[in-house]
Amino acid sequence: MDFVHLHVHSPFSFLDGGSEIRNLVKRAKEYGMSALALTDHNSLAGAVQFQKECEKEGLKAIHGAEVTLESGGHLVLLARGQEGYHNLSRLLTKAHLVNERLQPMVSIRSLWEYQEGLIALSGCRRGEVPSLLLKGKLKEAKEKAEIYRDIFGGRFYLEIQNLYIPGDVALNRKLKELGEETGIKLAGTNNVHYLDKEDFPVHDLLTCIRLGLTLEEVHQERRLNAENYLKSTAKMYEVLADYPEAIENTLAIADLCEPGLDMTKRYYPAYLYPKEYRSATAYLKELVYAGAKEKYGRISRTLRERIEHELFVIDRLKYSDYFLLVWDVVQHAKEKGIRYAGRGSAADSVIAYSLSITEVDAFKRGLLFERFISLERAESPDIDIDFDARYRDDVSAYVYVKYGERHVAAVATYHTFQARSALRELGKVLGFSAKEADILAKRVPYYLSDMGDLFNRVPEIKNMNLSSVKYKQLLYYAKKIIDLPRHLGTHLGGLVITNLPVTDLSPLQKSAKGVNVIGFDKRAVEDLGLLKLDLLSLRTMSAIEDSIKIIRDLDYEKIPLDDKETYKMLHAGETVGVFQLESAAQRALQSKLKADNFEDIVASLALIRPGPIQGNMVDPFIARRKGKEKISYLHPDLEPILKKTYGVVLFQEQVIEIASVIAGFTPGESDQLRRVMTHARSSRDMEEIGGVFLRKAQANGVSIQTAKEIFSYIAGYASYGFNEAHATAFAYTAYKTAYLLRHYPAEYYCSLLNHQPMGYYPVNTLCLLAKQRGIQVLPLDINESEIDFSVEKGNIRIGLKQLKGLREKEQQAISTTRSTGRYLSYKDFIERLGSRVCKDSLSNLVKVGAFDSLEENRRALLWQKPVADASPLEKWAYEIELTGIESQVSFMGLTRDRLKGFTLSTEVKRKIGKKIWLAGWPIRPHRPPTKSGKVVVFFSLQDEVGLAEVTMFTSSYEKYGQLIFGEHIPLGIYGEVFSRDGAISVNAEVVKDLRDLLTKE
Amino acid sequence: MKIICKQIEVKEKKFGYNRNMYEISEVLDSWRDIGAWWEDEEEKRFWRVSLHNDLTAEIFYIPNKKKWYLYRLW
């Protein structure tokens, strides 16, 4: 007895599939089924994952889709093999691209065009034939059936389902009669939307989200019962007992089908290298040596050996075309003057450096190529490049033009339900008001996956008095839907380039930005062997570019890496605005570490991450760096590897090198070892790996005792290690932006302000810190403000674009009109601009003081009559509301006289060991995961002169957490001032809401 | 049409209601209704049947309770 489910939906039928692909496949296997089909709505997004899972379980994967026809009806299409799969993908592409976004429809003409290799089933009740039969339109149903019979020949089947819906009995009878009349065979399915009966509530909730309903509302699309689960063979025989021929035909269909994707192939395009070269590798070699000569001058024997080794691996793995492609893209960027920087493990490659893809000298740093690519791993290389955010799309457009639109597409990303979105959306379904659901969602820490314990663990939620059954249901089901795909999005920078037309492999859809997106995400793209380029936008690149333009006489590439003043600034933790070094944790680290060379910056980037923090690596590193702890090595061969990190294993490359040097693994084998250690789940796995390591180490002449110690040492650090190449690549940008900040603060901050949102801190904090450096932040002025923020005699002028609601056209109009002569008065402005600036914008300009230099009284201008001007507090309120910046006065400054006994943020460092009161606005509160699992909250408190760092431990968090993570309000913090190796912080014991104190008359 | 929703006993295709005995002559349709699962309502299995006296009835069975109910009669 066998059965195959031919009509199955996964979560890639967004909000209509309740169970994951791997669980569906596993269950089919448990039932002893030989094959399974996947037929998501208008999509093949799950195809790669599905085929992979089927191969793992030894099941045959049958690819398909349930398509929506122009009539609105459904039709199930199954691919017989690769040709059928190609046709299905092309058909779906047409359906998506020809129609409005998110409303794909398949025409009869498309079915005729692409029917080869496809089998069609009449679908569920929403199929054209069944729905006509249900309406009693027998003649029309027959006509439709005959059309599909003509299109697909003997490959069209009438689908029998017994789902215990009213009318099913009669419908199935009519389908059988129709089949007899027309010679169309029957097939039996169960229209599967989830795994088990018990999963029905999840599916029903997803349906309600999709339809915008609450649970109490009735809708014809909500399933009446829980019968759409993956039934066992026995169960299917039971429900289709009256239609044995349907089961027989279903099995015959499954026999006809083969998987549609060749997962062993690679679909890389060939790079068109010049004819005089005999191969892509030959051309690549020429370019690499030319680049290396430029970078190194003289090519030493060891350098040559390194280059030849990398070329050998690249050639063996057939990646030469890929490197040439990437080189070509960065050449284009260089020619156009577009700033870029390669990142990630590509910086482990000397070839990437020689081709100017990255700026990290992997040879000089002794970085291991095998961390990037190795023969043993044989995975596709992944090169990420950050571009000036303004021009990233231009670079992308170049790729489309060069390789052809048919061969290039953006990679998808699947937005999945996370804790907050799950709570919000399910909250509405369960009948909570949008406000209640939003409040709950906002109070969930982003990393909290254990939803069930929210009541006890998160004080903000405890204080909401959540105890009703409804809230418990909300939390229970939110947990169930976390990680299910919600909708398709576009991967930020990923592009695939294929040798076949992309549409042979995946349907394309239009993204919200109008870009063609392939149906696969990054993981599926890699699994399928597609070439992917990551062309990323980085606003830091834009800010750097702008800074250089304003500064004019600075060669960014020649910034010295040993500037003492820059390091001095890092020691003081004054790094707000510095790439990757501006978070509170990084600033604290810089204060402790006292970096005085580039390697320290590389290490900083590797240290402030959950792994090393939880693994308690940070303090030992600092202690050894400062000579407070002795550095020792378990074996002399470890010294050259670990010297630069003071004996601490910090980088993945170090783990590889250690395994290589101690146990004689090839670098590729060592990298495999590292990966296995990182993902090892059980002590048995680790024992097995350990066994191999120990044997090899002993064979290499290392004593068993030493080998054991070394193994446990690297095993402990393997999962924490950071990619050194990536850290180095980022460190260049981090250091150089620190240099810019130190030496050209006005220009650099101005550029940062022009490229918001970016970085860690809000605009107002950046402005405050600029002021701390003696830079004035000049208010919006109708005669002085450019559209962007600008540098004005060493100060920063707020730009017109910062005014809320002032449209681009209005900004242009103001700026252009002024070029013919400054505005002499408010009246002059109105006369010259006329209706080009609307009333609201005009009013806002007055409110923020843009006319203050011409007419002092804002209120009189607004009301057009003699009245007293707005108070300083009112002016502050206007400015903060309409620009987000406190340029002249700050709230804390205005209310300071009510804060007797409160310490200013700049004075905190003089109060170490004392208990003080601080007042200010909490900035960027966050709860990073900790080793102990206890909650520690970090945030900055901003007053009128600076930032103070605050730490809040579990007991205070439980009492006051809702004040920190709730509304943005001014707070009073009471606690002791600590210095941890130079990093100063207040340990909050008491937190108070200061609104009443500061605003009551 | 009035909803009855009264418990009945079904034995050998017969059931009694309001002092009358009804015999099921044919099953016209059957379906299952999961109900308001969020309020722990139980699944009901429905049958629409024609009766010996040309009337039509809808009866349902709750598997968890092993009880029959008459839903409608016309």
Side-chain angles (χ1 to χ4, degrees):
Chain A
M1 209 162 77
D2 191 12
F3 185 78
V4 174
H5 281 284
L6 294 178
H7 185 158
V8 179
H9 292 272
S10 78
F12 288 108
S13 289
F14 298 126
L15 302 176
D16 202 18
S19 299
E20 294 186 36
I21 288 176
R22 67 165 180 267
N23 294 335
L24 292 165
V25 172
K26 266 205 169 106
R27 185 61 61 81
K29 172 78 179 179
E30 281 164 23
Y31 286 156
M33 293 172 181
S34 55
L36 184 67
L38 183 64
T39 56
D40 284 315
H41 291 300
N42 302 304
S43 170
L44 291 170
V48 173
Q49 188 190 352
F50 175 61
Q51 188 164 323
K52 246 185 106 177
E53 292 293 337
C54 284
E55 282 171 7
K56 212 162 67 174
E57 298 292 340
L59 246 59
K60 181 162 66 174
I62 300 170
H63 295 292
E66 185 170 23
V67 306
T68 308
L69 302 164
E70 281 177 335
S71 61
H74 289 183
L75 188 71
V76 173
L77 296 174
L78 300 168
R80 282 189 61 170
Q82 285 190 30
E83 192 191 2
Y85 181 92
H86 291 330
N87 275 333
L88 182 57
S89 177
R90 293 167 193 150
L91 177 98
L92 287 171
T93 300
K94 204 164 193 171
H96 280 284
L97 297 186
V98 155
N99 295 292
E100 265 195 56
R101 201 178 144 255
L102 302 179
Q103 291 174 35
M105 285 186 287
V106 172
S107 65
I108 294 290
R109 187 188 232 166
S110 285
L111 291 175
W112 275 109
E113 195 180 339
Y114 297 112
Q115 49 75 29
E116 195 63 51
L118 292 177
I119 294 170
L121 310 179
S122 58
C124 55
R125 283 173 159 228
R126 287 187 62 177
E128 284 186 327
V129 173
S131 66
L132 286 166
L133 288 175
L134 283 167
K135 288 174 188 155
K137 295 182 176 174
L138 305 181
K139 186 164 162 266
E140 290 94 320
K142 185 176 172 204
E143 278 165 9
K144 275 288 173 190
E146 282 166 348
I147 290 173
Y148 292 115
R149 184 196 60 195
D150 291 345
I151 295 173
F152 293 97
R155 293 171 281 126
F156 174 63
Y157 296 77
L158 295 169
E159 206 173 324
I160 300 280
Q161 297 171 357
N162 186 4
L163 296 167
Y164 300 105
I165 308 282
D168 262 1
V169 171
L171 173 62
N172 287 338
R173 205 167 38 233
K174 285 180 193 159
L175 282 166
K176 180 171 170 147
E177 283 160 11
L178 182 60
E180 282 159 2
E181 259 186 78
T182 55
I184 299 170
K185 293 182 187 166
L186 306 179
T189 74
N190 205 54
N191 194 8
V192 175
H193 283 263
Y194 41 90
L195 188 65
D196 289 313
K197 254 178 119 78
E198 291 70 37
D199 296 319
F200 170 77
V202 170
H203 182 257
D204 196 27
L205 288 165
L206 291 174
T207 305
C208 287
I209 292 174
R210 177 163 48 87
L211 300 170
L213 304 171
T214 65
L215 273 179
E216 303 295 336
E217 291 175 276
V218 173
H219 192 283
Q220 62 184 19
E221 275 194 50
R222 282 180 73 183
R223 310 276 168 176
L224 188 66
N225 59 42
E227 294 299 320
N228 294 83
Y229 64 98
L230 193 83
K231 288 178 176 156
S232 66
T233 300
K235 202 72 190 170
M236 287 308 298
Y237 273 74
E238 189 190 305
V239 302
L240 294 176
D242 293 340
Y243 304 94
E245 72 275 39
I247 296 185
E248 218 176 279
N249 294 331
T250 298
L251 292 170
I253 292 169
D255 273 341
L256 286 175
C257 295
E258 289 301 322
L261 289 169
D262 184 347
M263 308 271 281
T264 59
K265 238 168 142 164
R266 201 195 279 171
Y267 300 93
Y268 282 21
Y271 183 81
L272 287 172
Y273 51 87
K275 284 188 199 141
E276 57 266 35
Y277 295 90
R278 57 182 162 75
S279 67
T281 306
Y283 185 51
L284 179 67
K285 184 170 176 167
E286 166 112 352
L287 291 172
V288 168
Y289 275 105
K293 275 202 182 82
E294 228 182 88
K295 303 272 186 196
Y296 296 100
R298 194 188 136 261
I299 297 178
S300 66
R301 185 183 54 82
T302 42
L303 175 60
R304 186 177 296 277
E305 279 169 7
R306 172 65 183 253
I307 292 174
E308 289 298 324
H309 169 68
E310 290 193 17
L311 281 170
F312 171 74
V313 173
I314 289 169
D315 182 57
R316 266 293 274 283
L317 295 172
K318 297 191 183 8
Y319 291 146
S320 299
D321 292 289
Y322 178 77
F323 276 82
L324 287 170
L325 207 142
V326 177
W327 166 80
D328 181 60
V329 169
V330 302
Q331 281 300 110
H332 171 78
K334 266 177 151 175
E335 278 160 27
K336 296 288 174 192
I338 298 171
R339 186 166 292 280
Y340 72 91
R343 52 141 99 178
S345 58
D348 279 304
S349 164
V350 171
I351 283 184
Y353 177 61
S354 302
L355 294 175
S356 298
I357 294 171
T358 67
E359 62 175 323
V360 175
D361 185 348
F363 180 68
K364 192 168 155 196
R365 292 193 66 83
L367 295 174
L368 277 180
F369 181 63
E370 279 68 17
R371 175 58 193 83
F372 175 44
I373 308 173
S374 70
L375 289 172
E376 290 86 348
R377 203 163 80 233
E379 271 174 15
S380 305
D382 196 4
I383 300 182
D384 297 352
I385 308 175
D386 288 316
F387 290 93
D388 181 329
R390 295 167 293 189
Y391 308 116
R392 182 258 164 207
D393 287 352
D394 293 352
V395 178
S396 170
Y398 170 75
V399 174
Y400 274 90
V401 165
K402 175 125 188 180
Y403 296 95
E405 291 233 3
R406 283 181 7 122
H407 297 268
V408 183
V411 174
T413 188
Y414 287 99
H415 295 285
T416 55
F417 283 107
Q418 296 304 311
R420 289 180 179 178
S421 53
L423 287 171
R424 274 195 188 98
E425 300 215 59
L426 283 180
K428 283 186 221 161
V429 172
L430 286 162
F432 293 100
S433 70
K435 192 176 175 195
E436 282 175 316
D438 193 53
I439 290 171
L440 185 63
K442 277 190 174 131
R443 290 178 179 192
V444 170
Y446 68 93
Y447 63 84
L448 196 62
S449 56
D450 181 10
M451 304 285 293
D453 206 22
L454 271 180
F455 292 124
N456 299 320
R457 290 173 58 193
V458 183
E460 302 92 290
I461 289 165
K462 228 163 56 177
N463 293 338
M464 284 175 79
N465 297 314
L466 305 179
S467 60
S468 78
V469 168
K470 232 170 52 156
Y471 274 111
K472 288 195 164 107
Q473 268 186 333
L474 173 61
L475 296 180
Y476 176 78
Y477 286 110
K479 191 178 177 180
K480 291 258 176 197
I481 71 171
I482 280 173
D483 291 336
L484 289 185
R486 171 70 180 80
H487 58 264
L488 178 140
T490 315
H491 185 278
L492 276 178
L495 285 184
V496 289
I497 311 172
T498 56
N499 51 3
L500 302 178
V502 177
T503 51
D504 278 5
L505 299 169
S506 163
L508 294 178
Q509 317 182 228
K510 281 255 181 275
S511 71
K513 267 169 99 174
V515 167
N516 284 352
V517 182
I518 196 177
F520 301 141
D521 67 0
K522 183 181 136 137
R523 198 193 284 186
V525 157
E526 280 165 14
D527 287 343
L528 190 52
L530 298 184
L531 185 153
K532 180 172 76 73
L533 267 187
D534 272 303
L535 308 178
L536 306 163
S537 287
L538 189 61
R539 288 177 191 219
T540 303
M541 291 283 134
S542 315
I544 291 170
E545 189 61 33
D546 279 2
S547 300
I548 306 294
K549 283 202 171 109
I550 305 173
I551 296 165
R552 280 195 221 170
D553 55 2
L554 175 71
D555 186 344
Y556 182 78
E557 312 313 323
K558 296 206 162 89
I559 288 177
L561 294 181
D562 57 357
D563 179 61
K564 285 196 162 62
E565 293 300 311
T566 301
Y567 285 107
K568 215 166 136 187
M569 184 186 78
L570 293 179
H571 297 172
E574 292 168 358
T575 53
V576 171
V578 174
F579 182 65
Q580 298 290 308
L581 297 182
E582 62 172 348
S583 68
Q586 274 292 356
R587 289 188 287 117
L589 174 68
Q590 295 309 318
S591 301
K592 291 184 207 177
L593 184 62
K594 303 273 188 267
D596 62 15
N597 60 71
F598 183 70
E599 292 308 317
D600 287 339
I601 299 184
V602 178
S604 302
L605 293 173
L607 279 170
I608 299 301
R609 286 164 48 247
I613 293 170
Q614 287 179 292
N616 204 26
M617 281 158 68
V618 182
D619 289 335
F621 180 89
I622 296 172
R624 289 180 179 207
R625 163 74 176 70
K626 289 168 125 174
K628 288 184 179 172
E629 201 178 284
K630 192 164 167 265
I631 303 170
S632 60
Y633 302 97
L634 291 168
H635 188 283
D637 284 353
L638 297 185
E639 189 175 346
I641 301 168
L642 298 179
K643 199 170 165 177
K644 65 180 160 191
T645 51
Y646 311 102
V648 173
V649 175
L650 205 54
F651 302 121
Q652 293 164 347
E653 288 87 341
Q654 288 171 318
V655 173
I656 297 171
E657 271 188 285
I658 290 170
S660 197
V661 153
I662 297 295
F665 284 112
T666 66
E669 286 173 337
S670 299
D671 184 55
Q672 298 276 59
L673 174 77
R674 178 193 64 81
R675 283 164 174 266
V676 171
M677 284 199 288
T678 306
H679 296 116
R681 292 279 175 257
S682 67
S683 53
R684 198 155 41 125
D685 286 344
M686 284 305 283
E687 250 181 68
E688 211 176 296
I689 301 158
V692 175
F693 180 89
L694 294 176
R695 273 197 304 279
K696 289 197 126 189
Q698 281 189 274
N700 212 27
V702 178
S703 77
I704 182 74
Q705 184 55 33
T706 306
K708 274 185 181 170
E709 281 185 56
I710 293 174
F711 181 76
S712 78
Y713 185 60
I714 58 174
Y717 286 117
S719 56
Y720 299 146
F722 198 47
N723 175 222
E724 183 183 349
H726 180 62
T728 310
F730 266 13
Y732 279 109
T733 307
Y735 171 82
K736 288 183 183 182
T737 53
Y739 182 91
L740 289 174
L741 178 62
R742 172 58 188 84
H743 294 286
Y744 306 95
E747 292 82 354
Y748 184 63
Y749 270 132
C750 178
S751 302
L752 286 180
L753 289 166
N754 276 327
H755 291 284
Q756 295 295 310
M758 62 174 284
Y760 202 76
Y761 292 96
V763 164
N764 196 36
T765 305
L766 291 177
C767 288
L768 174 69
L769 290 163
K771 284 187 223 172
Q772 259 191 352
R773 290 168 189 271
I775 300 163
Q776 286 183 64
V777 176
L778 305 170
L780 232 157
D781 185 281
I782 206 67
N783 276 318
E784 305 299 340
S785 289
E786 313 274 356
I787 292 176
D788 290 330
F789 286 82
S790 53
V791 174
E792 207 179 281
K793 294 179 189 156
N795 298 308
I796 297 172
R797 172 73 67 182
I798 298 177
L800 292 170
K801 74 178 188 185
Q802 193 62 17
L803 183 65
K804 203 172 170 179
L806 189 68
R807 292 163 301 167
E808 233 178 277
K809 273 192 178 149
E810 292 173 320
Q811 298 164 26
Q812 296 281 359
I814 293 171
S815 174
T816 319
T817 307
R818 193 176 67 204
S819 64
T820 59
R822 292 166 72 82
Y823 301 110
L824 301 172
S825 64
Y826 178 73
K827 190 167 167 227
D828 179 44
F829 178 86
I830 293 178
E831 278 169 8
R832 288 163 73 184
L833 269 299
S835 59
R836 288 181 295 161
V837 175
C838 70
K839 273 196 186 134
D840 284 344
S841 295
L842 188 59
S843 160
N844 288 344
L845 283 164
V846 172
K847 284 177 182 174
V848 300
F851 291 96
D852 277 5
S853 53
L854 300 173
E855 334 248 352
E856 267 184 33
N857 188 329
R858 294 185 200 178
R859 203 181 267 156
L861 259 190
L862 275 173
W863 293 12
Q864 289 295 295
K865 62 183 184 182
V867 284
D869 197 4
S871 67
L873 192 63
E874 282 169 331
K875 287 183 181 179
W876 166 82
Y878 284 144
E879 196 183 25
I880 197 71
E881 196 214 319
L882 295 171
T883 68
I885 298 174
E886 299 170 303
S887 69
Q888 303 306 291
V889 288
S890 74
F891 180 76
M892 295 309 303
L894 285 173
T895 54
R896 182 53 64 177
D897 56 345
R898 295 181 187 219
L899 294 166
K900 300 236 177 330
F902 281 73
T903 305
L904 282 173
S905 58
T906 44
E907 297 300 304
V908 171
K909 59 181 179 242
R910 294 188 228 283
K911 309 270 179 139
I912 294 171
K914 297 201 167 87
K915 290 201 179 187
I916 60 169
W917 273 101
L918 272 177
W921 301 90
I923 305 288
R924 289 298 303 256
H926 59 289
R927 290 163 285 216
T930 59
K931 191 174 185 180
S932 62
K934 290 196 170 158
V935 177
V936 183
V937 179
F938 300 95
F939 60 96
S940 307
L941 201 68
Q942 178 171 334
D943 62 14
E944 67 271 38
V945 293
L947 296 178
E949 301 310 318
V950 183
T951 309
M952 191 186 230
F953 293 99
T954 313
S955 56
S956 304
Y957 169 65
E958 281 171 357
K959 282 188 228 159
Y960 304 111
Q962 72 281 9
L963 288 175
I964 311 297
F965 291 98
E967 278 179 79
H968 188 58
I969 55 176
L971 297 175
I973 307 286
Y974 177 75
E976 189 176 335
V977 181
F978 279 90
S979 170
R980 291 177 185 93
D981 279 327
I984 296 167
S985 166
V986 176
N987 280 1
E989 292 169 29
V990 179
V991 180
K992 268 202 158 115
D993 177 348
L994 292 182
R995 280 178 294 182
D996 279 353
L997 174 64
L998 299 180
T999 58
K1000 273 226 171 93
E1001 291 301 321
Chain B
M1 206 179 304
K2 203 175 107 179
I3 305 264
I4 298 168
C5 237
K6 282 260 168 11
Q7 195 181 338
I8 54 173
E9 271 224 34
V10 179
K11 252 188 185 153
E12 289 164 6
K13 292 190 183 179
K14 290 184 189 150
F15 65 89
Y17 170 68
N18 252 358
R19 283 185 240 141
N20 293 316
M21 271 314 276
Y22 297 93
E23 189 175 338
I24 296 167
S25 53
E26 193 189 343
V27 173
L28 300 172
D29 202 357
S30 72
W31 64 92
R32 295 178 186 183
D33 186 345
I34 198 155
W37 56 264
W38 57 95
E39 286 168 4
D40 294 328
E41 190 179 332
E42 286 147 330
E43 186 187 67
K44 297 177 180 64
R45 296 185 180 186
F46 281 82
W47 281 264
R48 181 178 293 157
V49 295
S50 67
L51 304 171
H52 72 283
N53 53 4
D54 289 338
L55 291 179
T56 307
E58 281 176 4
I59 59 177
F60 67 85
Y61 179 70
I62 299 182
N64 284 358
K65 291 183 172 151
K66 291 193 170 52
K67 288 193 165 110
W68 286 96
Y69 295 80
L70 174 64
Y71 189 64
R72 296 193 294 182
L73 181 66
W74 69 99

